[in-house]
Amino acid sequence: MVQKFDIRRKMFLLWEFTLKLVDILEQLSNANGVTGREGEVRDLIKSFLKPYVDEIREDKLGNLIALKKGKNSSPTVMLAAHMDEIGLMVKNIKKKGFLQFAKIGGIDDRVILAQKVTVHTDKGSLPGVIGSKPVHIQKEEEKKKVIDADKLFIDIGARDKEEAEKMGVQVGDVVSFDTKFAQIGNGIVLGKAFDNRVGCTVMIETLRRLNKVDCNIFAVGTIQEEVGLRGATTTAFQVAPDIGIALDSTVAGDMPGVGEGEAPAKMGDGPVLTVADAGLIAHPKVLRWLIDSAKKNKIPYQLETGIRGSTDAARIALSKEGVPSGVISVAARYIHSPAGIMNLEDIEKTIQLTVAAIENVQKYF
Ligand SMILES: [Zn+2]
């Protein structure tokens, strides 16, 4: 028995040693967790976090709540990374077997046309494509128009409604984009659901790197962020933290067509600290703590304000009697579309900042 344990321990150490943040990100990005169906992502995060926390559990709604105990019981820091991703949901199966769908989360109608997708049914996953009328038969006015998502459909190759149902499709099945993770360029990655598998990666890596800590850390994978920060609302209530930090992704504005100041964050310039967004004004003490931690450790950072939308931190901040909260993000291009781009160095620096801040927290709170 002892020998068996040794082998297992050695295998774990080997796995542990060779596991890099890019591997974690790749697995999380390729996993599917459209809002409301976060199970696959939750299981993955759980397996990554388990060796590094003292307690881990799933709550009634499906949030994942892990605790790493500190030497002192205060302060309690809540790190929140939402597990869900934007996607689609089957709304109706047409007589001819085509699937009409609703959008889940903020998706631009223009980016979903002609995309490859996966329909997740009780009987398994079905590949499909969002159909579009070929250019050969489009009228001139049609070519100029954006087609409403309501008028689009998913083609899963079913002959008719009956066959689609036999294949397992039901109203309410979720649909994710079919984009495989890839490393491109120099230290750049491409994939789906970077919003917010990058936040999940930062949270996991932070817990892996922290040794003994003074404060209690709750690492929380939240559900249903994209439709109204729902998991953060109920988990903040359960955890009752002293400080809340959302780990998320934000809009990188360094691309053609985005004016100066429209989206100030750039890829490659380090972690992004939210000053204010549509739902949160970062607590001044939290912002000071994060900025000081970056400066002290010579970690580049960017400040962001004026972006529409918000993060889990907005709900944590308003939990119970109120929780000083902030957001640390990674700038990603083309978020809320079928494929995004990020810089691995930004992710590394974001992890470094999160670790440094936690190690430094008792000086501030
Ligand atoms: Zn997000």
Side-chain angles (χ1 to χ4, degrees), residues 153-208:
F153 53 85
I154 300 165
D155 190 339
I156 51 162
R159 209 180 303 268
D160 52 28
K161 182 173 179 174
E162 222 183 12
E163 192 171 279
E165 283 170 345
K166 261 195 206 134
M167 289 162 83
V169 183
Q170 293 181 69
V171 169
D173 285 345
V174 295
V175 180
S176 56
F177 292 110
D178 180 9
T179 308
K180 285 279 159 283
F181 182 89
Q183 294 198 52
I184 60 171
N186 190 5
I188 306 296
V189 287
L190 179 155
K192 75 166 179 67
F194 284 166
D195 180 7
N196 184 31
R197 302 300 147 65
V198 68
C200 300
T201 304
V202 170
M203 185 168 80
I204 292 163
E205 270 293 314
T206 297
L207 271 287
R208 287 177 84 207

Side-chain angles (χ1 to χ4, degrees), residues 82 84 194-196 225-226 247-250 310-311 335-336:
H82 70 87
D84 61 321
F194 284 166
D195 180 7
N196 184 31
E225 190 264 5
E226 296 291 359
L247 300 169
D248 214 318
S249 59
T250 190
S310 198
T311 74
I335 56 174
H336 285 214

Side-chain angles (χ1 to χ4, degrees), residues 235-301:
T235 50
F237 187 88
Q238 294 175 69
V239 165
D242 300 306
I243 306 148
I245 298 289
L247 300 169
D248 214 318
S249 59
T250 190
V251 181
D254 53 340
M255 62 173 122
V258 180
E260 194 186 334
E262 260 185 276
K266 292 183 182 66
M267 251 176 62
D269 282 2
V272 184
L273 304 177
T274 299
V275 181
D277 62 26
L280 176 86
I281 295 175
H283 193 283
K285 223 165 133 186
V286 172
L287 202 56
R288 174 59 35 223
W289 163 51
L290 297 177
I291 290 174
D292 285 356
S293 303
K295 283 185 176 160
K296 213 177 122 199
N297 293 279
K298 298 194 169 57
I299 300 165
Y301 66 94

Side-chain angles (χ1 to χ4, degrees), residues 54 67-73 212-217:
D54 299 296
L67 167 65
K68 183 178 171 69
K69 286 181 187 159
K71 266 189 284 176
N72 307 310
S73 55
K212 293 227 173 343
V213 283
D214 290 334
C215 60
N216 284 330
I217 304 161

